[in-house]
Amino acid sequence: MFKFLKEKLKSAISKISEGVEKEGKVEENIIEKSIEEVRKEDKGFFAKLKEKFVGKEEAEEVEKEKKQVIGEKKAEIKEKAELKKEEKPIIIEHVKKEQQKTKDEIKPIIKKIEEPKIKYEEPIKKPVAEIPKKLETEKKGFFATITEKIITTKINEEQFEKLFWELELALMENNVAVEVIEKIKNDLKGQLVNKPIKRMQVENTISLTLKNSIEDLFQNNNIDLVQQIKNKKEKPYVIAFFGINGSGKTTSIAKLANMLKDKKILCVLAASDTFRAASIEQLQQHADKLGIKMIKHDYGSDPAAVAFDAIKHAKAKNVAVVLIDTAGRMHSNVNLIDEMKKIIRVAKPDLKIFVGESITGNDCVEQAKTFNEAVGIDGIILAKADIDEKGGAAVSVSYVTKKPILYLGTGQRYNDLEPFSQDKIIKSIGLA
């Protein structure tokens, strides 16, 4: 089931993933160059941290001041000594006094210089590991950012549009409705455009997003048919079936009748298709095989009258369910659609089911839309789902009509009617 769609989606996802990787490598090359530059400047980076921590400039400035003061005092003493060479004893005494005076003047300066030595020189000897955590964290944060960029990739909207074409083409080839393609596109765009995606998980990210998007296509099926039948106080529970010729409508009715019989629920068939040749005989054959009563009129009779008589019979015989078969009407035939509306007014069905042929794809979706607009269908049966390789109708019809798929026809036997499971659809297209 849905083999062709599965293969196309797998191929499209793979191509998109490769495209995302390719688009992301432009940024990767720039990042790699940046890392190389950072590595070269690594020692300088820590040297700057040290300077910031120990205040090297201030230490140099104090040292410069120290040298300047000592130099000036030496020059002054020398100058005074030169002027008084002839007075050697006096000079010696004078020099001693000046030296002492100079020492006294320099002492506070020396003290000022010695103090910074502890403050500025000691920390320089400390290992890098003792540099404040805040500064170390800043460096780690920088490299963490670079690392994150290496292991992730991003694409912009323009790149996404180019890459999505592969998936869009795959969906169109499998008869997926335009509305559904647009929804999937928007969902993927929200998850991929300008979002960091881990390089090793690009394909997984696309597959998961696609899976979630397709799961959202299916309306919640809150219809428990058997329970609804049992809960209805005033019998019978009436179900009317609609669809075009050849859609598998009559066979689907027989399958549902068989399911109800297995659950010990009595039903009667109403042959309200009085238009198509051999339609009454076809339904009669199913009724006979299943051992179920069928109400019929002659060909050309009023279909609504047949439905009315079947409901009347069910009430008289205490039959729980009436299944009404209607003529296969082309959804574009206004007169036949009006006749169908008359059946609805007369029979007042509790449930209106559209039966569509899964393999017809977009045609099935358009038919369902038209029938829904005409009579307001309550649910859908997709016949021939077992031979549908594309799956466009199964993926699209519920989203477009906003009605649940109730059952899938999966073969020619009476028990080949499966309750719809979105998990089975997801698995069939390779996204489980």
Side-chain angles (χ1 to χ4, degrees), residues 169-196:
L169 187 62
L171 294 171
M172 287 191 294
E173 286 178 347
N174 287 277
N175 298 325
V176 176
V178 174
E179 300 97 316
V180 172
I181 294 175
E182 195 62 29
K183 179 198 179 301
I184 292 173
K185 183 177 182 179
N186 290 333
D187 289 345
L188 279 175
K189 185 184 291 186
Q191 290 297 317
L192 299 180
V193 173
N194 296 323
K195 298 286 181 68

Side-chain angles (χ1 to χ4, degrees), residues 77-339:
I77 292 169
K78 187 177 179 181
E79 185 181 348
K80 288 180 180 179
E82 289 289 337
L83 291 172
K84 298 185 178 183
K85 284 180 185 179
E86 66 279 4
E87 302 176 16
K88 190 173 180 181
I90 300 172
I91 288 172
I92 291 172
E93 185 65 28
H94 177 76
V95 168
K96 286 181 178 179
K97 287 181 180 180
E98 287 296 328
Q99 283 178 338
Q100 186 60 45
K101 184 180 177 182
T102 299
K103 285 181 181 179
D104 293 339
E105 289 176 350
I106 290 176
K107 197 176 285 183
I109 296 172
I110 295 298
K111 186 178 179 182
K112 180 181 177 184
I113 291 168
E114 292 297 329
E115 287 176 356
K117 279 187 179 178
I118 298 171
K119 181 179 179 182
Y120 298 113
E121 292 177 8
E122 247 183 27
I124 293 177
K125 298 175 184 177
K126 289 185 178 181
V128 173
E130 295 182 23
I131 291 175
K133 288 183 179 180
K134 181 179 179 183
L135 299 173
E136 181 66 17
T137 303
E138 287 177 3
K139 180 171 174 64
K140 285 183 178 178
F142 171 74
F143 278 105
T145 303
I146 291 293
T147 303
E148 182 182 349
K149 287 184 178 179
I150 290 174
I151 64 174
T152 62
T153 186
K154 286 183 182 180
I155 59 170
N156 58 36
E157 191 163 343
E158 183 179 347
Q159 292 167 332
F160 172 80
E161 291 290 340
K162 182 172 66 175
L163 295 172
F164 183 76
W165 171 245
E166 293 290 343
L167 182 57
E168 188 170 5
L169 187 62
L171 294 171
M172 287 191 294
E173 286 178 347
N174 287 277
N175 298 325
V176 176
V178 174
E179 300 97 316
V180 172
I181 294 175
E182 195 62 29
K183 179 198 179 301
I184 292 173
K185 183 177 182 179
N186 290 333
D187 289 345
L188 279 175
K189 185 184 291 186
Q191 290 297 317
L192 299 180
V193 173
N194 296 323
K195 298 286 181 68
I197 308 169
K198 289 187 177 180
R199 293 190 181 282
M200 301 302 292
Q201 296 182 8
V202 173
E203 190 164 330
N204 287 340
T205 300
I206 294 169
S207 296
L208 181 60
T209 303
L210 187 58
K211 176 188 174 184
N212 292 337
S213 183
I214 291 177
E215 283 178 341
D216 289 342
L217 296 173
F218 304 113
Q219 300 298 307
N220 290 329
N221 182 5
N222 296 320
I223 299 177
D224 184 339
L225 183 56
V226 173
Q227 196 59 47
Q228 284 194 7
I229 292 170
K230 291 180 178 179
N231 289 345
K232 187 177 181 183
K233 294 179 180 179
E234 188 177 344
K235 306 296 182 185
Y237 188 94
V238 180
I239 306 175
F241 295 81
F242 306 98
I244 68 167
N245 288 325
S247 64
K249 178 168 45 62
T250 303
T251 304
S252 295
I253 292 171
K255 289 179 179 180
L256 188 61
N258 180 67
M259 184 194 79
L260 294 175
K261 181 182 177 184
D262 288 344
K263 295 183 181 298
K264 311 300 181 184
I265 297 175
L266 292 176
C267 64
V268 61
L269 305 183
S272 288
D273 180 0
T274 60
F275 178 76
R276 180 173 62 88
S279 60
I280 297 175
E281 287 79 6
Q282 183 184 4
L283 189 62
Q284 185 68 66
Q285 286 178 0
H286 288 306
D288 293 342
K289 289 179 181 178
L290 294 170
I292 295 173
K293 175 71 175 178
M294 187 185 87
I295 304 299
K296 61 184 179 180
H297 289 187
D298 293 332
Y299 285 106
S301 301
D302 183 359
V306 180
F308 178 83
D309 286 349
I311 294 170
K312 185 178 179 181
H313 170 84
K315 288 180 178 178
K317 301 295 182 179
N318 197 31
V319 176
V321 181
V322 175
L323 305 178
I324 303 173
D325 184 17
T326 63
R329 289 157 168 79
M330 289 301 294
H331 55 291
S332 56
N333 189 317
V334 176
N335 292 333
L336 291 177
I337 289 289
D338 287 340
E339 185 178 292

